[in-house]
Amino acid sequence: MKTGNRQTMGTIMALAGGICWGFSGCCGQFLFEQKAVQAPWLVTVRLFFAGILLILTGFKLNGRENLNIFRKKQDALHLLAFAIFGITFCQYTYFMAIQASNAGTATVLQYLSPVLILLVVCIRGKRLPKGLELGAIGLSLLGTFVIGTHGDIHTFHISGEALFWGLLAAVSSMIYTMIPGGLILKYDIYQVLGFGMFMGGIAMGIFVRPWTCAPVWDTGTVGALAGVIVVGTALAFGLFLQGVSLIGPLRGSIMGSVEPVSAVIISVFWLNTSFTPADFIGFALILGAVFVLTFSQRPESLKKADAGITDGI
């Protein structure tokens, strides 16, 4: 694939994955608010069934080669680490943040992750953040402050629980983006995601025991679960990680920033979630930080930074 086509395809995939994630988050909010679902239960079910779906797809497309990832002990351990510290950690913290607040706020806070990735890039490159990069860090910190306080340092307008899980979701998103690196380039996406999600679902199931509790079962519950499992997991994770493998984790995170925009829009029109002007200012500041990062990197240096992350894992 030519470089230009590779970049274009990776960008489209990352954007599409972000939109699917935004929709998935809103499906999760719907289940939490209207169907008595708890985040640990949803994450367990999501990982387990989405993993099975991807594994079956992998066997259909590749036959026994779908097991190649287990032939090397180092790659199998890498996959296990990705399953637990990447996929499971990322999804658990994200849905806990939604449960504590709403899909829009949780998703925007999660998108502090590009700033964290920037810090990793700087550390690996043994350099300090540049002018625009410092500006992006400042915008992200200011945006988080505005969302939490609405500009009044004496009042907190978001619960401590919501802020905790939202910030932890940003950390987990950074880890999730960076861990798979070489695996995505070396193996089929269905091997990495399918077995990774399945392992994560089994690990979560041991502690959550989802069979001991159940939500309100009706058409709405089934439809929202399908949105979370099929659209928001099997499709979104596949599109986004494949896009990252083509354009690199830093640029992939930037392109995926359509996710919070879609989550806010969908939550407002579908779930009637209310936001104040201060909330939108905070959202804009954080998303502005992401876009500032886009213009703070020249194409050559961005490519080198991305390669430094993926090659080093």
Side-chain angles (χ1 to χ4, degrees), residues 65-86:
E65 291 183 2
N66 199 47
L67 296 171
N68 285 350
I69 197 168
F70 296 105
R71 292 182 177 178
K72 294 184 178 180
K73 181 178 179 181
Q74 181 178 0
D75 291 338
L77 292 175
H78 190 169
L79 175 64
L80 179 61
F82 177 50
I84 303 301
F85 301 106

Side-chain angles (χ1 to χ4, degrees), residues 13-192:
M13 286 183 169
L15 286 172
I19 293 173
C20 289
W21 265 324
F23 174 72
S24 171
C26 292
C27 287
Q29 182 181 335
F30 170 80
L31 290 169
F32 298 149
E33 293 179 348
Q34 301 186 31
K35 303 300 176 181
V37 170
Q38 296 296 308
W41 184 91
L42 179 59
V43 172
T44 303
V45 171
R46 182 188 200 193
L47 288 172
F48 183 80
F49 286 103
I52 290 177
L53 178 62
L54 287 176
I55 290 171
L56 292 176
T57 303
F59 276 116
K60 182 178 180 180
L61 295 175
N62 305 309
R64 296 185 63 180
E65 291 183 2
N66 199 47
L67 296 171
N68 285 350
I69 197 168
F70 296 105
R71 292 182 177 178
K72 294 184 178 180
K73 181 178 179 181
Q74 181 178 0
D75 291 338
L77 292 175
H78 190 169
L79 175 64
L80 179 61
F82 177 50
I84 303 301
F85 301 106
I87 295 178
T88 304
F89 185 40
C90 181
Q91 291 199 36
Y92 180 74
T93 55
Y94 174 57
F95 277 99
M96 286 297 294
I98 292 177
Q99 184 172 281
S101 56
N102 57 71
T105 301
T107 307
V108 171
L109 288 175
Q110 184 189 48
Y111 264 78
L112 290 167
S113 61
V115 176
L116 301 180
I117 293 175
L118 166 65
L119 296 178
V120 173
V121 170
C122 291
I123 292 173
R124 290 197 171 186
K126 297 180 180 180
R127 66 175 180 85
L128 295 175
K130 302 175 183 177
L132 287 178
E133 293 172 342
L134 285 173
I137 294 172
L139 285 174
S140 65
L141 292 175
L142 181 60
T144 305
F145 171 78
V146 172
I147 291 174
T149 67
H150 289 185
D152 182 0
I153 61 175
H154 302 292
T155 306
F156 226 59
H157 291 271
I158 185 174
S159 70
E161 181 184 8
L163 186 60
F164 169 79
W165 286 114
L167 295 178
L168 195 57
V171 174
S172 68
S173 181
M174 174 196 68
I175 296 171
Y176 163 78
T177 302
M178 296 173 64
I179 282 182
L183 287 179
I184 297 297
L185 296 174
K186 191 174 181 180
Y187 295 101
D188 188 274
I189 196 75
Y190 297 104
Q191 297 179 49
V192 179

Side-chain angles (χ1 to χ4, degrees), residues 161 205 274 277 298 307:
E161 181 184 8
S274 60
R298 294 181 179 180

